[in-house]
């Protein structure tokens, strides 16, 4: 009875990313053997270099051999079998918005040309697409890039000079400029429509209903004559405020829920947005919800989440963010803007195969795009680059830093040209502080920093407790109802207080502002009556405590309101960021401290500590304390320091108070790290179960020897025990390792003595098994490494000396494994 043996070298399909999967001596190849009733013994090979010289019927002319090999490659590509591993988007809805473009595991074109790189690379089956919820292989992607460069360098003449010295280097710069342009346009569109929709909650412009309250009041001659406001103290005005905001978040929640992706779990969490259990192993992932920064951090560290940075989620995130920010809940746009910008960067890489087909290179563009997202969210390009460096990016070399700065700069310039607020300025909260700080104020700045650290640590712990409660109880099964309930409660409670009725951006901007020296001489603002009321409340010029109590009580109520709703809102199924809500809480507390300091300097001007203050005049600026508080609470929640200081300086356009902001930020960081070693983004990563190796974390190992660190229950594949390597048994091993959440790993290939011969990735093994779906499950599979072949060593005996095996590893030539002596 003869044996019909088929070599199952994985092929590649068009339209996928590329990365090396078989570099080095550890990469193995799968062959399948089955028994037929009669006939000669035959063997087909997908590639040309894997010829078995021990088979007499394979010894034909070289021309005929090449023709058969080419025919086998073409046939294998025509009969491609889709990669069977469940990807996150396999069961995602594609009938609405934008249909998904599928990609296969292997690319159809092999850039490792045999003409330039030798026979050993031809038909190698280089992996091109990673499955969702796995990690990329940085080494293989780097090998893939080096192979591409070698191919490029081999091209001579004028064409080679153009490709090597002009076109290839400029591709990255073209991409970051394009991404910056798109980020600026998206940010302008989001800001413009957010302002307009938010204005409709309080009134409309009689001159043109498409104008926001700010632009409409600027058109008026005096006192916003064109703006028609709902009666703020009437029941109808309150009802419109609550109902309109509720409708906004309802639509946003529907968009997020309808765009949810069905994913298969491996007995552990998958995403910070995965909550609703559909079955014991299938859950729903709401990629359009939340901030997106934790997932972007994980993606930049090498994790793969298909669809998270795709076109469909980009559309959902954009319109959902507009609706949520306009509704008035505790949701900022800064975190979602990072995901939107990263999506634009990910989609733009499809222009150049150099980035689209290499996951490691693609992450360079995504990292630059993340910086542009922060840049347009705050109008702070330098702060955006520092935020990407300090908080988001995992690998940030000098080349990536320069490209990130270019991307952030282009995005900021486009946003300034777009001018969504009609001011013609890029600075979001422009301040005009005309006084320097005094040394006695440093104690107040430290107190604000302590509050920022304490609040940040408390927020992290309580918010994670709420997220766990949301995930483990019935609340997680009704995400839309939860969103509507929290929105209604937030707007109903916040309406009475003027500091909580206005939006987060307006609140922070008002708290940062400096009061005029003489309140009665202050010109009437060309804004709404509501903003005028805020300015009148904040500016108190008196030496009596009773005159400050109404303001302090309103600020205290606003502080409690904002702090509570920030904890329960961050994590609901709508796009929502953390940056601006945290800044608003710190700004409120800082303004309270600054207001009390102003009272002390006026009421006790004779004290020695206030000897530097002029008599019967203003000595401190309460807006400075709000600025310090905003930075302190943001640092306490995120553990970001340098980027926060740079963002605040660019936000306000003021560098005089850099040292006080640094004092508050560093104090908050020390206090927050004492009570909570990790920031909220790192906690969300841990809660989601995403693999993230933090380079800033020090890992202490108490074991002394390598044997103590090794796994003892490791699944292996032994080449000597053929009956254990059937299709059925190998599939069972894959299922077991997937249940343990190690599907992005692989199997060591050993012999009967336990000596390591190689390694095969789970993705490669599963793909090869899938191509054998028509065979009997009892079919025996063999593993073979092409670098161990006699013909390759004879062709180039000095090329790979470290792959030659010792005598004890030699196997008989009649074995399909074919491990032979060099």
């Amino acid at each position: 009875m003869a044996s019909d043996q088929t070599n199952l070298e994985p092929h590649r399909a068009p339209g996928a990313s590329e990365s090396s999967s078989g570099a080095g001596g550890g990469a193995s190849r799968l062959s399948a053997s089955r028994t037929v009733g009669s006939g000669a013994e035959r063997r087909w090979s997908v590639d040309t270099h894997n010829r078995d010289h021990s088979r007499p019927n394979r010894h034909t002319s070289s021309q005929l051999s090449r023709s058969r090999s080419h025919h086998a490659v073409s046939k294998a590509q025509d009969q491609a079998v889709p990669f069977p591993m469940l990807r996150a988007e396999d069961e995602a809805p594609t009938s609405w918005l934008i249909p998904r473009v599928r990609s296969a595991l292997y690319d159809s074109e092999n850039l490792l040309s045999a003409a330039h790189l030798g026979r050993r690379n031809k038909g190698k089956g280089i992996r091109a697409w990673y499955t969702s919820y796995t990690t990329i292989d940085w080494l293989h992607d780097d090998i893939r890039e080096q192979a591409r460069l070698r191919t490029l360098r081999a091209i001579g003449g004028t064409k080679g000079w153009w490709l090597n010295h002009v076109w290839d280097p400029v591709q990255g710069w073209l991409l970051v400029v394009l991404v910056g342009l798109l980020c600026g346009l998206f940010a302008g569109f989001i800001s413009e429509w957010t302002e307009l929709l938010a204005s409709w909650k309080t009134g409309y412009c009689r001159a043109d209903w498409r104008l926001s309250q700010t632009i409409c009041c600027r058109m008026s001659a005096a006192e916003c004559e064109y703006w028609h406001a709902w009666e703020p103290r009437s029941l109808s005005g309150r009802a419109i405020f609550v109902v309109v905001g509720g409708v906004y978040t309802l639509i946003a929640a529907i968009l997020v829920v309808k765009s949810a992706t069905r994913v298969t779990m491996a007995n552990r969490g998958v995403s910070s947005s995965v909550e609703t259990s559909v079955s014991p192993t299938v859950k729903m992932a709401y990629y359009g919800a939340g901030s997106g920064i934790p997932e972007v951090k994980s993606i930049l560290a090498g994790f793969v989440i298909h669809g998270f940075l795709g076109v469909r989620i980009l559309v959902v995130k954009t319109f959902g963010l507009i609706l949520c920010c306009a509704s008035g809940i505790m949701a900022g746009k800064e975190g979602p803007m990072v995901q939107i910008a990263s999506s634009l960067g990910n989609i733009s890489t499809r222009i150049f195969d150099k980035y689209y087909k290499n996951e490691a290179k693609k992450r360079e563009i995504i990292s630059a795009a993340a910086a542009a997202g922060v840049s347009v969210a705050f109008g702070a390009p330098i702060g955006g680059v520092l935020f990407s460096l300090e908080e988001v990016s995992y690998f940030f070399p000098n080349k990536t830093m320069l490209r990130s700065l270019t991307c952030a700069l282009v995005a900021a310039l486009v946003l300034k040209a777009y001018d969504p607020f009609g001011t013609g300025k890029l600075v979001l909260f422009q301040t005009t502080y005309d006084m320097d700080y005094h040394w006695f104020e440093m104690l107040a700045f430290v107190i604000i920093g302590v509050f920022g650290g304490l609040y940040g640590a408390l927020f992290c712990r309580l918010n994670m407790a709420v997220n766990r409660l949301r995930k483990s109880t019935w609340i997680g099964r009704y995400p839309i109802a939860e969103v509507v309930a929290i929105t209604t409660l937030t707007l109903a409670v916040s309406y009475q207080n003027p500091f909580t009725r206005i939006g987060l951006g307006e609140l922070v901007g008002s708290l940062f502002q400096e009061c005029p020296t003489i309140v009665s001489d202050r010109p009437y603002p060309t804004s709404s009556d509501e903003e005028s009321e805020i300015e009148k409340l904040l500016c108190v010029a008196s030496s009596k405590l009773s005159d400050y109590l109404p303001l302090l009580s309103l600020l205290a109520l606003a502080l409690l309101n904002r702090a509570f709703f920030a904890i329960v809102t961050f994590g609901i199924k709508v796009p929502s960021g953390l940056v601006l809500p945290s800044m608003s809480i710190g700004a409120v507390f800082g303004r309270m401290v600054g207001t009390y300091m102003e009272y002390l300097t006026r009421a006790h001007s004779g004290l020695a500590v206030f000897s530097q203050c002029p008599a019967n005049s203003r000595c401190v600026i309460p807006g400075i304390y709000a600025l310090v508080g905003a930075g302190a609470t943001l640092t306490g929640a995120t553990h970001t320091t340098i980027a926060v200081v740079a963002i605040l300086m660019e936000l306000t356009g003021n560098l005089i108070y850099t040292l006080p902001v640094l004092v508050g930020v560093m104090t908050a960081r020390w206090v927050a790290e004492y009570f909570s070693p990790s920031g909220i983004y790192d906690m969300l990563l841990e809660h989601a179960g995403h693999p993230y190796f933090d380079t800033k974390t020090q890992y202490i190992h108490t074991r002394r020897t390598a044997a103590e660190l090794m796994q003892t229950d490791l699944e292996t594949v032994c080449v000597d025990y053929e009956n254990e390597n059937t299709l059925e048994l190998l599939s069972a091993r894959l299922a077991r390792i997937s249940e343990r959440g190690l599907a992005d790993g692989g199997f060591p290939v050993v012999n009967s003595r336990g000596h390591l011969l190689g390694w095969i990735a789970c993705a490669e093994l599963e793909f090869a098994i899938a191509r054998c779906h028509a065979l009997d499950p009892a079919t025996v599979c063999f593993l073979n490494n092409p670098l161990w072949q006699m013909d390759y060593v004879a062709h180039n005996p000095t090329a790979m000396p470290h792959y030659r095996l010792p005598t004890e590893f030699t196997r008989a030539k009649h074995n399909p494994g074919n491990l032979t002596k060099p």
Side-chain angles (χ1 to χ4, degrees), residues 183-193 415 418 420:
C183 288
L185 294 176
F186 267 73
F189 176 78
I190 291 172
S191 299
E192 182 180 15
W193 279 92
L415 180 62
Y418 194 107

Side-chain angles (χ1 to χ4, degrees), residues 45-60:
S45 178
V46 176
D47 58 352
T48 58
H49 69 274
N50 187 27
R51 302 192 182 105
D52 189 352
H53 292 286
S54 64
R55 307 294 179 186
N57 59 338
R58 292 291 303 278
H59 287 213
T60 59

